[in-house]
């Protein structure tokens, strides 16, 4: 018998390769409505997820944070995609460096985490303008988050770039994205435009196909306008208490512990009511809380928010016992570096702090907290968690005090801050009109008459958005602030130079916010006269700090006594390896900080509650190399212009008591102790 013909190598390898390659065709994530659950590859599945925002964490630290989330027992990570972070101007896209969300998806895959994606177009997230690009407002009459053709054209253009790039990352295509949210808490927006939501749903389906699970998220009060047939409906809410220490003993000797446990019972009852309401919009399928709040955000000038471990763990346990899938918002908060913080308007304008620590289970510096270990214990009762210990806290560093040196006042650098020269207009123009998305614009005019006595200077209709630093002939006169301080009294001779530095403190990011234009929105009035003939200087402060200062191109005489917005800097070495640290600015008032050219964010020591800025170790040069810190102090410099680096943060230094969510009548009724949607 003739010998059999030997099989060729490719024929031998084919079955093995078939086994090794991802079986994209067999991968699926679907809703099993009959049994009120999810199915992952045909098997019952429940996600226990946590939110982390890649845009609030330096890229080199993504893997560390994701690994800690996985080791905490999570099987999924949820994150937003901020449109304005990736399309800085129409048709210009940036997916590089810390904006490389596809690298972040890959890091999540390495950490063995599935992904719930929230691409907006609106995301809230306490992020500038809720993630919408400020250049949309260059069309002043645009109606955001509606069927306005101008808005839809911009949205379509963006998603036709983003969504096809995400398509290979969908779970059924071999990726790790199991579901995608359409819009974000749309029911909290005043428009209630179902045509807009249907347009988005159709666009997502056209670009992503029919197999990916699309869903909506709303607070209980927003389900009516936020849900849409064909999109899976989910809800968001948090536990009712923010701090165990916030419950006082009642009259008649009722103990604080009794009240605390009573509130937990009320919260559990409220959870049942909220899920019952959800069933009116999604009768069958798994219960989902897409934002279960582990903490809360902070506003400048208000109290630091905390949320008790007991409240958070009890709420999570109750939901898991119901079989619900839960995403914890936030699991790691991160930082609003640069100018990226958002703002709310609740009676007045409330900008959000640079720290987005959120009292989350993983701290702003990436360290596990007692809240994390308590949540991990709860999760372990319902599903297996990875073996092995969590990494310890990162090394921390102390340094200083360091004395900063005067570089000069801001006006002295105007030619370099605005090399293209000013824009001229009879009346002042907004940031949007001069195409300045963030940061600062200097407004300048000259007095056409002498003002010999202190005369009222003001901007009508609350027209300062958001904070104005006023100077006459280079001498600082004071501050006007949106909703807060509306007038100053000025003097000056004919021809005197009036400079107004306008700071954009972050655009409104939540709820029924209309277009939040920045700058001088009305012409200022001095006495009885409207001031006209303005020069607008859009300032490139970051470029000056990063390029001009290191090259030492500015050699100017400095004022002996600085007045108003002024630059200070110094250099310092770090011996050894260094570590994470927290910049403390005692006695400084308000301003912006750069470390080695990186915009660390805003400080507002005078107002609080945040007193320190997180400085990640990768931003610093170690082993004796020189680091440079630059401050733009906008108001008043301390007698000793010094800073320190501490080994722990100070996030709660205000004159107020620590903020506690209570059951008081002016905040919530006794039957509704849970904090509802806010993202």
């Amino acid at each position: 018998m003739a010998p059999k013909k030997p099989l060729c190598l490719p024929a031998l390898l084919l079955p093995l390769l078939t086994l090794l390659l991802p079986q994209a065709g067999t991968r699926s994530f679907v809703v099993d409505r009959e049994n009120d659950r999810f199915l992952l590859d045909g098997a019952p599945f429940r996600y226990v997820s946590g939110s982390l925002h890649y845009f609030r964490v330096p890229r080199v630290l993504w893997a560390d944070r994701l690994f800690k989330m996985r080791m905490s027992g999570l099987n999924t990570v949820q994150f937003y995609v901020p449109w304005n972070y990736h399309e800085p101007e129409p048709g210009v896209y940036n997916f590089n460096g810390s904006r490389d969300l596809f690298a972040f998806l890959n890091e999540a895959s390495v950490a063995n985490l599935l992904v719930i994606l929230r691409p907006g177009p609106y995301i809230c997230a306490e992020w500038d303008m809720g993630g919408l690009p400020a250049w949309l407002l260059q069309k002043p009459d645009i109606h955001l988050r509606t069927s306005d053709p101008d808005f839809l054209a911009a949205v379509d253009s963006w998603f036709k770039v983003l969504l096809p790039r995400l398509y290979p990352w969908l779970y059924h295509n071999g990726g790790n994205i199991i579901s995608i949210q359409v819009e974000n808490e749309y029911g909290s927006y005043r428009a209630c435009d179902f045509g807009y939501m249907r347009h988005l749903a159709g666009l997502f389906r056209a670009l992503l196909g029919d197999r990916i699970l699309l869903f909506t998220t709303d607070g209980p009060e927003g389900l009516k306008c936020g849900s849409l047939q064909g999109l899976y409906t989910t809800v968001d809410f948090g536990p009712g208490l923010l701090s165990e220490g916030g419950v006082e003993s009642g009259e008649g000797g009722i103990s604080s512990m009794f009240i605390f446990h009573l509130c937990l019972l009320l919260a559990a009852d409220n959870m049942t009511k909220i899920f019952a309401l959800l069933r009116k919009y999604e009768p069958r399928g798994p219960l989902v809380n897409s934002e279960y709040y582990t903490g809360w955000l902070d506003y400048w000038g208000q109290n630091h928010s905390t949320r008790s471990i007991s409240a958070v763990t009890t709420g999570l346990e109750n939901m898991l016992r119901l079989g619900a899938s839960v995403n914890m918002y936030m699991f790691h908060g991160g930082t609003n570096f640069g100018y990226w913080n958002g703002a709310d308007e609740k009676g007045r304008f409330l900008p959000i702090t640079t720290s987005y620590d959120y009292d989350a289970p993983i701290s702003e510096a990436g360290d596990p907290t007692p809240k994390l270990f308590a949540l991990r214990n709860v999760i372990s009762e319902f599903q297996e968690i990875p073996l092995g210990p969590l990494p310890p806290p990162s090394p921390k560093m102390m340094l200083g005090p360091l004395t900063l040196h005067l570089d000069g006042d801001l006006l002295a650098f105007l030619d370099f801050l605005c090399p293209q020269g000013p824009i001229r207009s009879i009346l002042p123009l907004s940031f949007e009109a001069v195409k300045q998305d963030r940061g600062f614009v200097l407004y300048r005019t000259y007095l056409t008459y002498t003002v010999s006595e202190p005369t009222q200077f003001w901007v009508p209709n609350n027209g300062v958005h958001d904070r104005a630093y006023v100077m006459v002939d280079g001498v600082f006169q004071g501050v006007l602030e949106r909703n807060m301080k509306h007038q100053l009294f000025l003097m000056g001779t004919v021809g005197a130079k009036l400079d107004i530095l306008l700071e954009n403190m972050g655009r409104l990011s939540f709820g029924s916010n209309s277009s939040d234009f920045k700058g001088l929105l009305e012409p200022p009035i001095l006495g009885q006269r409207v001031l006209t003939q303005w020069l607008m200087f859009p300032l490139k402060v970051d470029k000056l700090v990063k390029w001009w200062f290191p090259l030492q191109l500015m050699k100017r005489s400095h004022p002996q006594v600085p007045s108003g917005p002024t630059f200070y800097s110094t250099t310092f070495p770090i011996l050894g390896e260094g570590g994470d640290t927290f910049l403390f600015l005692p006695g400084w008032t308000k301003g912006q900080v750069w470390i080695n050219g990186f915009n660390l964010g805003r400080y507002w020591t005078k107002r609080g509650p945040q007193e320190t800025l997180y400085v990640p170790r990768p931003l610093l040069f170690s082993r004796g190399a020189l680091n440079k810190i630059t401050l733009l102090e906008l108001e008043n410099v301390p007698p000793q212009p010094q800073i320190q680096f501490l080994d722990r943060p100070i996030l709660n230094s205000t004159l107020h008591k620590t903020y506690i969510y209570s059951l008081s009548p002016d905040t919530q009724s006794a039957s509704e102790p849970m904090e509802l949607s806010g993202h």
Side-chain angles (χ1 to χ4, degrees):
M1 185 173 70
K4 291 184 179 179
K5 184 177 180 180
L7 293 172
C8 67
L9 184 60
L12 289 170
L13 290 177
L14 186 59
L16 180 60
L17 289 173
T18 303
L19 290 172
L20 292 177
L21 288 173
Q23 300 298 296
T26 64
R27 292 164 60 95
S28 64
F29 179 76
V30 298
V31 173
D32 178 4
R33 295 183 185 276
E34 184 176 344
N35 295 295
D36 296 330
R37 62 189 182 183
F38 289 120
L39 297 177
L40 184 72
D41 298 335
F45 178 78
R46 181 244 300 280
Y47 61 73
V48 180
S49 172
S51 290
L52 181 155
H53 298 154
Y54 62 92
F55 42 92
R56 284 186 163 117
V57 179
R59 177 171 176 163
V60 294
L61 299 176
W62 288 349
D64 172 78
R65 306 313 194 242
L66 290 165
F67 175 72
K68 289 169 181 171
M69 291 175 72
R70 181 69 187 104
M71 294 301 293
S72 301
L74 306 186
N75 54 22
T76 309
V77 59
Q78 183 202 79
F79 64 90
Y80 288 118
V81 179
W83 179 6
N84 56 7
Y85 198 56
H86 295 285
E87 192 176 0
E89 54 187 279
V92 177
Y93 304 100
N94 187 346
F95 294 100
N96 300 317
S98 288
R99 290 169 168 81
D100 190 346
L101 73 96
F102 311 104
F104 184 77
L105 283 166
N106 185 66
E107 292 287 4
S109 180
V110 170
N112 197 25
L113 289 167
L114 298 169
V115 169
I116 299 168
L117 194 73
R118 311 172 84 185
Y122 165 82
I123 63 169
C124 184
E126 287 76 60
W127 189 253
D128 184 59
M129 204 166 152
L132 299 178
W135 50 257
L136 291 170
L137 302 182
Q138 291 174 20
K139 296 183 177 179
D141 297 327
I142 196 169
H143 294 284
L144 305 174
R145 303 177 70 193
T146 70
S147 299
D148 182 324
D150 287 333
F151 183 65
L152 289 185
V155 169
D156 289 358
S157 178
W158 161 237
F159 278 140
K160 286 176 182 176
V161 170
L162 175 67
L163 297 185
R165 298 188 185 198
L166 293 171
Y167 183 77
W169 291 92
L170 303 184
Y171 185 77
H172 60 268
N173 291 332
N176 53 355
I177 300 174
I178 58 172
S179 60
I180 294 180
Q181 181 178 296
V182 177
E183 242 280 348
N184 184 61
E185 292 186 330
Y186 190 66
S188 298
Y189 193 53
R190 54 181 166 75
C192 199
D193 184 342
F194 286 108
Y196 164 64
M197 286 295 289
R198 281 192 288 269
H199 177 91
L200 288 182
L203 181 65
F204 278 50
R205 283 288 174 225
L207 295 173
L208 297 174
D210 295 330
R211 295 185 61 187
I212 184 67
L213 176 66
L214 301 180
F215 71 99
T216 61
T217 299
D218 285 280
E221 75 288 347
L223 289 169
K224 181 178 179 180
C225 285
S227 58
L228 187 71
Q229 188 173 3
L231 306 179
Y232 195 73
T233 304
T234 74
V235 72
D236 54 31
F237 58 89
L241 299 179
L242 283 187
S243 172
E244 291 174 304
V247 182
E248 304 291 343
S249 296
E251 294 181 6
I254 300 176
S255 72
S256 61
M257 189 57 66
F258 173 82
I259 296 174
F260 177 69
H261 286 296
L262 176 62
C263 292
L264 291 181
L265 290 172
L266 288 170
D269 180 61
N270 202 51
M271 176 195 69
T272 305
K273 290 179 181 178
I274 292 173
F275 278 141
L277 179 61
L278 175 63
R279 282 297 185 214
K280 294 182 180 180
Y281 296 89
E282 199 64 74
R284 299 305 304 267
L287 298 169
V288 177
N289 186 344
S290 289
E291 288 188 4
Y292 177 62
Y293 306 119
T294 62
W296 202 246
L297 58 131
D298 286 346
Y299 302 109
W300 290 114
Q302 295 202 2
N303 304 292
H304 175 57
S305 302
T306 60
R307 198 178 293 261
S308 77
I309 293 173
S310 297
V312 174
T313 54
T314 300
L316 177 64
E317 183 175 1
N318 288 337
M319 286 186 289
L320 295 182
R321 289 200 187 284
L322 281 179
S325 284
V326 181
N327 174 73
M328 285 172 272
Y329 190 105
M330 299 289 299
F331 208 83
H332 172 55
T335 308
N336 292 314
F337 295 115
Y339 310 107
W340 286 110
N341 66 278
D344 284 353
E345 195 157 38
K346 298 177 179 178
R348 65 181 179 88
F349 181 70
L350 294 171
I352 289 154
T353 57
T354 300
S355 172
Y356 200 65
D357 177 86
Y358 212 86
D359 194 34
I362 298 175
S363 74
E364 182 179 12
D367 296 331
T369 68
K371 186 177 289 183
L372 182 149
F373 291 103
L375 288 168
R376 190 178 190 228
N377 289 338
V378 171
I379 295 168
S380 69
E381 297 176 15
F382 296 89
Q383 60 191 39
E384 290 186 9
I385 60 174
L387 297 175
L390 276 146
S394 63
K396 302 297 188 295
M397 178 186 75
M398 296 180 67
L399 187 66
L402 304 174
T403 299
L404 272 63
H405 308 290
L406 175 64
D407 290 319
D409 64 74
L410 177 139
L411 297 179
F413 297 100
L414 198 53
D415 290 343
F416 293 90
L417 287 164
C418 186
Q420 75 275 19
I423 298 163
R424 300 172 184 269
S425 175
I426 295 175
L427 299 179
L429 301 174
S430 68
F431 275 52
E432 295 73 25
V434 300
K435 298 185 178 180
Q436 178 86 340
D437 288 348
R438 284 168 287 281
F440 302 89
V441 171
L442 182 76
Y443 293 76
R444 172 174 288 176
T445 191
Y446 296 87
L447 298 187
T448 57
Y449 56 97
T450 295
V451 181
S452 56
E453 296 182 354
T455 301
Q456 184 184 37
F457 173 76
W458 61 294
V459 181
N461 299 319
N462 196 31
V464 171
H465 281 207
D466 300 309
R467 196 167 165 86
Y469 307 89
V470 181
M471 293 153 279
V472 176
D473 285 335
V475 178
F476 184 54
Q477 304 294 312
V479 175
L480 299 178
E481 185 177 346
R482 180 175 178 174
N483 298 124
M484 296 285 284
K485 184 172 174 52
H486 300 288
Q487 65 178 10
L488 293 171
F489 288 87
L490 304 182
M491 298 170 58
T493 59
V494 61
K497 181 174 60 179
L498 175 63
D499 285 313
I500 307 173
L501 180 67
L502 253 292
E503 180 187 10
N504 170 358
M505 282 291 294
R507 287 184 176 82
L508 295 174
S509 53
F510 172 66
S512 57
N513 52 292
S514 55
S515 300
D516 188 15
F517 296 96
K518 298 299 185 182
L520 286 178
L521 305 188
E522 299 277 350
I525 297 174
L526 182 60
Q528 301 298 317
R529 300 193 190 185
V530 175
L531 300 180
T532 59
Q533 302 300 329
W534 289 91
L535 304 175
M536 273 75 55
F537 297 81
L539 303 184
K540 303 183 186 301
V541 183
D542 290 78
K543 287 189 177 180
L544 177 77
V545 171
K546 191 171 184 178
W547 300 113
W548 294 115
F549 281 168
L551 295 174
Q552 298 182 339
L553 294 180
M554 297 300 297
K555 297 293 184 182
R556 300 244 178 155
S557 61
H558 301 146
Q560 294 300 310
V561 180
S563 182
T566 311
F567 288 103
Y568 278 78
S569 68
T570 194
T571 58
F572 58 95
I574 295 174
L575 304 178
E577 294 298 325
D580 288 346
T581 188
F582 302 90
L583 175 64
F584 181 43
L585 302 115
W588 297 81
T589 307
K590 185 185 190 304
Q592 205 82 20
V593 186
W594 293 261
I595 297 252
N596 295 325
F598 179 85
N599 193 331
L600 205 60
R602 310 177 201 268
Y603 68 89
W604 204 344
T605 311
K606 188 173 181 180
R607 188 164 290 188
Q610 180 181 356
E611 296 276 314
T612 58
L613 296 180
Y614 170 54
V615 184
R617 178 180 176 180
L619 294 182
L620 298 168
F621 303 129
S622 58
R623 299 183 180 179
L626 283 180
N627 295 270
K628 181 160 189 178
I629 180 168
T630 302
L631 265 64
L632 171 58
E633 169 58 55
L634 296 167
E635 297 184 45
N636 299 305
V637 178
Q640 295 294 324
Q642 294 183 330
I643 55 141
Q644 297 177 21
F645 291 97
L646 307 181
D647 60 359
R648 64 191 63 193
I650 304 173
L651 299 178
N652 61 347
S653 182
T654 58
L655 298 178
H656 315 285
K657 293 175 67 176
T658 299
Y659 186 52
I660 307 298
Y661 280 131
S662 67
L663 306 183
S664 58
D666 60 333
T667 54
Q668 296 166 332
S669 69
S671 62
E672 296 179 333
M674 285 195 174
E675 179 60 32
L676 305 181
S677 62
H679 298 274

